[in-house]
Amino acid sequence: MRIRDYIALGWDQLRRRKVVTLLCVMGIAIGSASIVVALAFGESISHYSTKQMSYYLKTDEITVMNQSGGSRSGSSGTVNEYAITNQKLNLIKSLPHVKTLAGYQNVGSMSFIVDDTRTGRLDVTATDLTTLADFGMEFQQGMPIDQDNTIVLSYPATVGLRDNQAARIDAARQQTQEQMMEDFNDRSPIVSYPLYRKQIRLIQTASLPDGTIKTFEFPVRVVAIEKRAESMSDDMVRWSQKQAYISPGLAKQIRDAVESVSTQKSVTGSDQSSYDRVVVKIDQVDHVAETDKLIQSLKLRTSSNLGRQESMSKEFVIIRIIFGGAGLFILFVASISIVVAMTMSTHQRRRQIGIMKVLGANLSQIRNMFIVESALLGLFGGMVGILFAYWVIWGINIILVQTGSVGSGENAEILFISAWILPLGLFFALMTGIMSGLFPAVKASRTDALTAIKRE
């Protein structure tokens, strides 16, 4: 008998026993859909978590720390071999997988005044303002420009500004513990002060040798404000770091102004960078480890979140195994229905089997007939299961969007089914059908022809 004959006989038997066929197909479909959904859950969680880790942990970035060892403050301008130099920065830029890099210099905490009535404090960092967008910073107003008289503010920096007179009163007296607790427990709605395109005055103070305090003012214009993250609550905004970014040129003006009245002078070698740290952006996460070793070969100390990603990736493998195991268990339970159905079919078709043996059918032909029949059940069940799995994933994504768990944009689908899962789910369904039909097939092939015909 040819394979086409086996398929025709199997299809004919499935059509004759519609109820049993439907129940077996549904059992395999539920099992197949379970394993497809389980694998899709594991794959989607891994992909989504990796994406979130890459955004929040910056796994595609390498931080290079400056190990100047204090050579910038002293009587000698010699450069420490472990310090960040302009020559090393140029070498890092030329590395194959480096997209961009940006240096950051901590200027310190500074107060500011706006509209002559409001005041606040900022943690000021100097960097190339045009690289902020390259490192994932999004802006709700404006865009950074490369000018020394400009400043870029984080969203929390626009919150919590105080009246100038009230701030002076609070500075003149020491806050009691009760007042500090009141500020900490403040649950009033946050109000973002309109700072965009306004000129603010950065205030820096320096101690003179005679003990007096000298105040310097640096007028700058707010050219951009960072976008508030959707996941950032009011409490997070209220207590987050109030970050501000200025150009290295303005940072040098502030440093020179303070040093002009200070007894200690900062000395920096001609090739030595003034940055405290440099962040290197890599094109792909897979190239981070390789690039990290190359940067370390320049006698620079580096750090990245690649280790945390690897450890979390191992946890995701465990999650996939758990989901996949659950799907396999459901598929195993569903296979029992095929064993029962095919065994009943063998019992009901004893006369047919006996006649086929009398007409010359051998054991392998009868066995193959039942195996092909069970394989068809597995194939149909797998196909229905794939469609059912798509409906389940689609329904869950709709629920997530409607409940507001994710946005409604183009990236709204958290759960998805990868292309490699479909043939795998179909394969498991087909193998379940074949394996479930082995016992009934062997039992049918061993049926005694004369006994089967005589009993009928």
Side-chain angles (χ1 to χ4, degrees):
M1 294 178 65
R2 294 174 295 180
I3 185 64
R4 185 173 62 183
D5 299 327
Y6 287 120
I7 294 176
L9 286 173
W11 174 247
D12 182 66
Q13 290 298 323
L14 294 181
R15 287 193 302 115
R16 289 174 181 269
R17 298 178 290 113
K18 294 183 175 62
V19 177
V20 176
T21 299
L22 180 62
L23 292 176
C24 291
V25 168
M26 290 305 299
I28 288 291
I30 293 174
S32 176
S34 299
I35 194 171
V36 170
V37 171
L39 293 175
F41 260 93
E43 182 75 8
S44 302
I45 291 173
S46 176
H47 176 78
Y48 182 76
S49 301
T50 302
K51 183 179 179 181
Q52 294 299 309
M53 281 194 303
S54 179
Y55 179 78
Y56 289 105
L57 297 182
K58 307 296 184 182
T59 53
D60 59 344
E61 295 179 5
I62 300 174
T63 302
V64 183
M65 308 303 296
N66 197 343
Q67 299 184 88
S68 59
S71 62
R72 287 187 298 169
S73 296
S75 59
S76 174
T78 59
V79 178
N80 189 320
E81 63 175 341
Y82 295 97
I84 298 177
T85 62
N86 295 325
Q87 182 181 9
K88 291 180 180 179
L89 291 180
N90 292 331
L91 287 174
I92 294 175
K93 288 180 181 179
S94 63
L95 294 179
H97 300 295
V98 174
K99 291 179 61 178
T100 184
L101 60 83
Y104 297 90
Q105 178 190 359
N106 183 25
V107 180
S109 179
M110 301 178 65
S111 59
F112 72 95
I113 299 175
V114 59
D115 295 335
D116 293 326
T117 58
R118 296 283 178 171
T119 183
R121 294 202 67 84
L122 299 170
D123 292 317
V124 183
T125 300
T127 186
D128 183 358
L129 300 181
T130 58
T131 63
L132 293 176
D134 296 334
F135 286 85
M137 183 177 288
E138 298 179 353
F139 304 97
Q140 69 177 20
Q141 290 179 302
M143 284 295 293
I145 57 177
D146 187 18
Q147 292 182 5
D148 290 343
N149 62 338
T150 60
I151 189 170
V152 177
L153 301 178
S154 64
Y155 183 82
T158 65
V159 175
L161 275 66
R162 308 196 64 184
D163 182 80
N164 204 6
Q165 184 177 359
R168 285 196 296 267
I169 295 175
D170 289 342
R173 63 180 177 87
Q174 185 177 3
Q175 276 190 316
T176 65
Q177 186 175 2
E178 293 181 356
Q179 290 169 339
M180 294 177 64
M181 289 300 298
E182 289 179 1
D183 291 340
F184 181 80
N185 296 323
D186 184 16
R187 292 297 182 268
S188 59
I190 61 172
V191 178
S192 176
Y193 193 82
L195 292 174
Y196 178 56
R197 289 186 177 179
K198 286 190 176 182
Q199 186 179 69
I200 66 175
R201 289 176 289 158
L202 295 178
I203 310 297
Q204 181 66 288
T205 59
S207 300
L208 300 179
D210 58 1
T212 59
I213 302 296
K214 184 175 178 59
T215 300
F216 298 94
E217 292 189 2
F218 301 91
V220 292
R221 186 169 298 279
V222 179
V223 294
I225 296 178
E226 185 183 11
K227 181 181 178 181
R228 175 180 177 176
E230 295 181 358
S231 59
M232 182 175 285
S233 64
D234 286 355
D235 287 340
M236 292 177 64
V237 172
R238 186 178 288 109
W239 297 107
S240 293
Q241 187 178 21
K242 302 180 185 300
Q243 190 70 48
Y245 299 93
I246 62 175
S247 66
L250 179 57
K252 185 177 184 303
Q253 295 178 26
I254 297 174
R255 185 172 63 249
D256 292 343
V258 174
E259 290 176 355
S260 65
V261 297
S262 176
T263 56
Q264 292 185 346
K265 304 297 180 181
S266 176
V267 180
T268 303
S270 59
D271 186 53
Q272 184 172 337
S273 171
S274 60
Y275 296 128
D276 301 311
R277 58 187 175 93
V278 174
V279 180
V280 184
K281 189 85 168 177
I282 310 301
D283 56 358
Q284 294 182 10
V285 178
D286 297 336
H287 300 146
V288 171
E290 174 189 353
T291 309
D292 188 47
K293 292 181 180 178
L294 293 176
I295 297 176
Q296 290 180 3
S297 66
L298 300 175
K299 295 184 177 181
L300 294 172
R301 182 167 63 92
T302 63
S303 64
S304 67
N305 290 315
L306 194 61
R308 293 186 62 182
Q309 185 192 27
E310 292 176 352
S311 63
M312 295 188 71
S313 298
K314 295 179 181 178
E315 297 178 3
F316 293 146
V317 171
I318 298 176
I319 293 176
R320 290 184 184 180
I321 293 175
I322 293 175
F323 278 123
L328 286 174
F329 176 75
I330 297 175
L331 199 60
F332 169 75
V333 174
S335 67
I336 298 177
S337 63
I338 293 185
V339 176
V340 174
M342 295 301 295
T343 303
M344 292 177 58
S345 175
T346 302
H347 181 75
Q348 294 171 354
R349 295 159 61 185
R350 286 178 303 173
R351 181 178 178 83
Q352 177 188 356
I353 296 171
I355 294 175
M356 291 179 65
K357 282 192 172 184
V358 170
L359 294 177
N362 55 36
L363 298 180
S364 63
Q365 290 176 333
I366 296 175
R367 185 171 58 247
N368 292 340
M369 181 181 68
F370 278 85
I371 291 177
V372 170
E373 186 176 332
S374 60
L376 288 175
L377 285 175
L379 179 63
F380 295 149
M383 295 171 63
V384 175
I386 289 175
L387 294 177
F388 185 60
Y390 268 109
W391 290 338
V392 171
I393 295 296
W394 174 77
I396 294 176
N397 282 324
I398 292 295
I399 293 174
L400 291 175
V401 172
Q402 290 182 349
T403 56
S405 299
V406 296
S408 57
E410 57 181 5
N411 297 323
E413 291 189 358
I414 290 182
L415 300 180
F416 61 91
I417 300 177
S418 298
W420 65 270
I421 298 179
L422 300 180
L424 187 62
L426 192 61
F427 170 78
F428 274 107
L430 185 61
M431 290 303 299
T432 299
I434 294 175
M435 298 301 292
S436 302
L438 285 178
F439 173 74
V442 172
K443 185 177 180 180
S445 64
R446 293 178 179 177
T447 301
D448 182 72
L450 295 179
T451 304
I453 296 174
K454 185 177 181 180
R455 284 182 179 178
E456 294 294 334

